[in-house]
Amino acid sequence: MTTDISELKNVASQVRRDIVRMVHGCQSGHPGGSLGCTDYLVALYFSAMKHDPKFNMDGIGEDLFFLSNGHISPVFYSVLAHAGYFDKAELATFRKLGTRLQGHPTTHEHLPGVRIASGSLGQGLSVAIGAAQAKKLNKDSSLVFTLHGDGELQEGQIWEAAMYAPHNKVDNLIAAIDVNGQQIDGSTKNVLSLGDLHAKWVAFGWDVLEAKGNDMEALLTVLAEAKSRTGQGKPIVILLHTEMGYGVDFMMGTHKWHGTAPNDAQLAQALGQLEETLGDY
């Protein structure tokens, strides 16, 4: 684990290279949200979260992470590989026949690091709350983290869970929302406006923090602050203001790269903007 910003940025650059190469390799997948969430997942797995790459499903004595918006699996798989959960050479099998690296993470392939199948949006917060309550029952002081898309907040189950957690004082939970303003059919504002997210989460009884989601320094700061606020009777949510496609100029700020794979020329253009820091798989 590290707080060295340059080291974390190097990991993030390599993860972004992995993302565009993985999606290009099978001509399928979701690069936009993956690129936008890269910095957060790198900060989480390489700095903020106490976890063991040897991996067991019980996760006793370690922090747990649940990816709710499972379509951004490329960033999740790359971060897990670089964190030592499995050989990064396996990233080349993404979305191919017989792979453990399915388009949406699943558990029956027994890929280390994956705790739930997350293809249907809206379910991750409910699962995380259950895990957090189990930790309390087991007198396990470690934390539970989640990540969600802002478009995912249009799912009703999210708000059922959002009511349940404060009522039951699930204060060992830190949720994060990727607020990039984009979803598969367009901007969240045009598809179904989310309104004032900060005010909504406060009204539901959560402790709300906000941060620039593509700023590594800001992420380390907000994660440290979030951890310091656990155990005080409220669940915590971080609103991460990110840009879809961050790091690749022609993918940034548009829903068109939500689920589109780059062609050969676009891959070359993308890789030209992303430094190879840890070696390509």
Side-chain angles (χ1 to χ4, degrees), residues 29-31 33-34 67-75 94-95 103-105 118-119 121 149 152 244 258:
H30 297 79
S34 294
L67 178 67
S68 190
N69 50 333
H71 57 277
I72 65 166
S73 60
V75 63
F94 175 66
R95 279 186 177 245
H104 292 81
S118 52
L121 295 173
E152 183 183 6
M244 180 169 278
H258 172 92

Side-chain angles (χ1 to χ4, degrees), residues 89-106:
E90 193 170 352
L91 297 176
T93 70
F94 175 66
R95 279 186 177 245
K96 296 179 180 177
L97 289 175
T99 185
R100 297 195 296 176
L101 278 62
Q102 295 288 315
H104 292 81
T106 62

